[in-house]
Amino acid sequence: MTVRLAEVSDAPAVASVQVQTWRTAYKGLMPDEVLDGQSVEARTSMWQRAIPNGGVWVALVDDAVVGFASAGPSRDPDAAFELYAIYVLSSAAGKGLGFELTKAALGDEPDVIVWVLDTNVQARRFYERIGFRADGVTKTEMEGTAELTEVRYRRSTP
C-alpha cells in the first residue's frame, strides 16, 4: 500500500474510483438515475483540472489507484480546512486506506470539516472513529432531481 500526492496522469483512475464508489456506497441512498448518470469521462476532466492545484492524494495497491482523498481551504467561513472527498473501492476497504488517506490529506490541520450525507451511516461512523463529531450544521443540496441532506462534521485539535 502506498499513499502519495496525485499526479494529473492519475485523473482517469481517480474518476473511476469516484464513480464506482458512488454506485456502491450510495446505492439506496440516492436515486438510481443519479448514480447511473455518473460519468468517468466527466469526472476525469474535473480531476485533470483539480489535481494540479494540489490537495489530492491517492492510495495504491499493486500500483493501482484504489482510493483517493481531496482536501483544502474550507468553503465554509467558520472553518479553516475541509476534507472535500474521500473514497476507497470496496475491494480495498478494511485495510486502513481511509485512515492513511485522511492523515495525508489533512496533515496537522487543527480545524477541519467534512460534509456527509445524513443517511450514510458507514461514512458517519468512519468520521467518528477518526475524531470528527457532528457539529449541528446541516444543508440540503440537489444532485440531479434528488434533494439530499448533508451533516457537517468537525475535527478540532488543540
Side-chain angles (χ1 to χ4, degrees), residues 81-137:
F81 207 70
E82 183 172 350
L83 179 61
Y84 304 131
I86 181 168
Y87 294 103
V88 175
L89 292 175
S90 57
S91 61
K95 298 178 178 154
L97 291 171
F99 175 76
E100 292 301 322
L101 281 166
T102 303
K103 190 166 68 171
L106 302 182
D108 295 330
E109 289 294 333
D111 182 34
V112 181
I113 61 166
V114 62
W115 287 95
V116 60
L117 196 59
D118 68 339
T119 54
N120 191 341
V121 175
Q122 184 176 357
R124 292 178 74 164
R125 285 186 187 141
F126 169 76
Y127 294 125
E128 289 167 2
R129 276 195 313 272
I130 62 172
F132 284 83
R133 298 290 172 254
D135 69 2
V137 179

Side-chain angles (χ1 to χ4, degrees), residues 1-2 60-66:
M1 169 184 79
T2 303
L60 298 100
V61 172
D62 298 327
D63 294 322
V65 174
V66 297

Side-chain angles (χ1 to χ4, degrees), residues 138-150:
T138 63
K139 68 179 176 181
T140 301
E141 300 256 337
M142 294 301 293
E143 185 67 45
T145 59
E147 187 174 285
L148 305 172
T149 301
E150 293 178 282

Side-chain angles (χ1 to χ4, degrees), residues 42-55:
R43 295 287 179 179
T44 297
S45 177
M46 182 201 72
W47 288 112
Q48 286 170 330
R49 290 187 307 274
I51 288 171
N53 297 322

